[in-house]
């Protein structure tokens, strides 16, 4: 649309009747065809292709409390998934033990479970399969006694079953592009201001009780994928242990990384890593890893106890899809 949002091309009268807002035209044949943008807030519902679910007063922050729900009704049985893009999302941080008990977002009535989320997730996305034609409810719950400048603007897109953008089964996230970035939920460059309960040490930004698949759409002529850490961020892979106790100069390097049987609580699974005997990675560092498993996928797992994981932030990976080898001759 003319304001940069995604809309649906509709006749002006149809847009008005459906409760949309016209932002520019979408056809060279008639000025009656408009780019119709749909925006809703607490208590609303939509069956449109794309809808924006925002906090009350957005873009101003929300400092109230309670549960704010929005329902997405699939247009018909040809719609398979709901894609949620976190164009803006900032709720209170989890406790120092990684639990979203102050604020949280949940998605209900889909065919799969979305892990409970909170904190900072700008730029993230998730795919939730519809359960038949049952509406999916997106719920944001906040605690009024905790003062925080909460903001959310969620782009809700209905994905047809035949769409090239439909995520494969088991993929909570589905990235495209030959190169890109993958972040754990609530990853950030700053520490969680909350302390963990048992030891009153710097808490974890890493969210507890996660178990989900992250997929990358394979590009033509690409047969392997390499994951590595950004050079300027030593906290880009801090999944387990007390990060503050890492030996000088080792944080973010392979020397601080752990593998295999050492990874039992919080870890990434990178299947079929080339030249490595195991597929589990944890600790506070990671060397570049190349996977030849197709489709391209990795799994993020955290347990329910983040108390021992002092000052952890999760992960930020850079991925590159590599060209297939060309046979000699």
């Amino acid at each position: 649309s003319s304001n940069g949002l995604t809309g649906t091309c509709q006749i002006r009268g149809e847009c008005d009747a459906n409760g949309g807002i016209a932002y520019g035209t979408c056809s060279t044949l008639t000025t009656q065809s408009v780019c119709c943008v749909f925006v809703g807030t607490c208590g609303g519902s939509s069956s449109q292709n794309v809808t924006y679910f925002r906090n009350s007063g957005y873009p101003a922050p929300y400092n109230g409390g309670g549960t704010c729900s929005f329902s997405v009704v699939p247009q018909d049985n040809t719609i398979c998934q709901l894609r949620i893009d976190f164009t803006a999302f900032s709720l209170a941080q989890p406790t120092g033990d990684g639990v979203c008990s102050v604020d949280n977002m949940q998605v209900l009535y889909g065919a799969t479970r979305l892990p409970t989320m909170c904190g900072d997730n700008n730029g993230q996305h998730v795919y939730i399969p519809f359960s038949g034609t049952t509406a999916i409810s997106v719920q944001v719950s906040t605690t009024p006694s905790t003062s925080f400048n909460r903001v959310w603007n969620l782009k809700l897109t209905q994905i047809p079953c035949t769409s090239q953008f439909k995520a494969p089964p088991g993929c909570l996230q589905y990235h495209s592009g030959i190169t890109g970035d993958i972040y754990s939920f609530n990853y950030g460059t700053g520490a969680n201001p909350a302390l963990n309960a048992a030891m009153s040490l710097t808490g974890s930004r890493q969210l507890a009780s996660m178990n989900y698949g992250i997929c990358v759409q394979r590009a033509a002529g690409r047969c392997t994928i390499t994951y590595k850490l950004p050079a300027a961020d030593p906290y880009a892979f801090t999944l387990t242990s007390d990060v503050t106790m890492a030996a000088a100069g080792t944080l973010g390097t392979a020397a601080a990384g752990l593998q295999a049987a050492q990874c039992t609580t919080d870890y990434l699974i990178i299947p079929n890593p080339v030249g490595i005997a195991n597929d589990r990675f944890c600790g506070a560092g990671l060397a570049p890893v190349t996977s030849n498993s197709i489709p391209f996928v990795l799994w993020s797992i955290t347990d329910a106890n983040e108390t021992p994981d002092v000052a952890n932030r999760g992960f930020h990976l850079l991925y590159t899809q590599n060209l297939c080898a060309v046979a000699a001759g």
Side-chain angles (χ1 to χ4, degrees), residues 2-277:
S2 58
N3 66 350
L5 301 179
T6 300
T8 302
C9 193
Q10 295 184 353
I11 299 299
R12 185 178 298 274
E14 180 187 13
C15 178
D16 292 341
N18 289 331
I21 305 170
Y23 286 103
T25 60
C26 57
S27 172
T28 58
L29 301 178
T30 173
T31 58
Q32 288 301 306
S33 294
V34 297
C35 188
C36 191
V37 176
F38 295 90
V39 178
T41 188
C42 307
S45 66
S46 175
S47 60
Q48 299 298 323
N49 294 335
V50 180
T51 305
Y52 292 86
F53 169 37
R54 298 170 167 176
N55 64 275
S56 176
Y58 181 86
Y62 175 75
N63 206 9
T67 298
C68 177
S69 301
F70 192 88
S71 294
V72 182
V73 182
Q75 294 174 348
D76 52 40
N77 60 9
T78 67
I79 301 297
C80 276
Q81 296 174 338
L82 175 67
R83 173 171 168 139
I84 304 176
D85 284 279
F86 298 70
T87 58
F89 188 92
S90 182
L91 299 181
Q93 284 291 309
T95 67
D97 304 308
V99 178
C100 295
S101 60
V102 178
D103 296 344
N104 66 72
M105 172 184 147
Q106 299 185 69
V107 177
L108 306 178
Y109 313 123
T112 60
R113 170 185 172 271
L114 175 72
T116 300
M117 280 194 275
C118 60
D120 298 316
N121 288 291
N122 293 338
Q124 295 275 20
H125 75 274
V126 295
Y127 283 83
I128 306 296
F130 282 99
S131 180
T133 56
T134 301
I136 286 177
S137 177
V138 182
Q139 299 186 356
V140 178
S141 299
T142 58
T143 302
S145 59
T146 300
S147 180
F148 188 83
N149 289 332
R150 304 167 176 91
V151 173
W152 68 87
N153 183 24
L154 305 176
K155 179 183 175 183
L156 310 175
T157 305
Q158 298 197 29
I159 305 295
C161 302
T162 57
S163 172
Q164 64 176 317
F165 302 109
K166 178 188 171 190
C171 301
L172 183 66
Q173 296 190 304
Y174 191 36
H175 295 266
S176 61
I178 293 175
T179 62
D181 298 74
I182 299 174
Y183 296 88
S184 58
F185 295 119
N186 194 42
Y187 184 84
T189 56
N192 187 346
L195 304 179
N196 63 33
M199 299 173 283
S200 294
L201 298 175
T202 303
S204 174
R205 288 186 69 110
Q206 185 167 256
L207 302 183
S209 301
M210 294 278 134
N211 188 337
Y212 63 97
I214 305 167
C215 303
V216 178
Q217 186 178 49
R218 182 186 175 197
R222 307 285 166 160
C223 288
T224 63
I225 187 168
T226 298
Y227 305 97
K228 66 178 183 179
L229 304 183
D233 184 1
Y235 291 90
F237 192 87
T238 48
L239 273 62
T240 55
S241 71
D242 184 345
V243 170
T244 64
M245 298 300 291
T250 64
L251 190 62
T253 71
L258 302 173
Q259 297 179 16
Q262 296 172 301
C263 302
T264 59
T265 56
D266 307 329
Y267 50 90
L268 284 184
I269 295 177
I270 302 176
N272 296 332
V274 177
I276 303 174

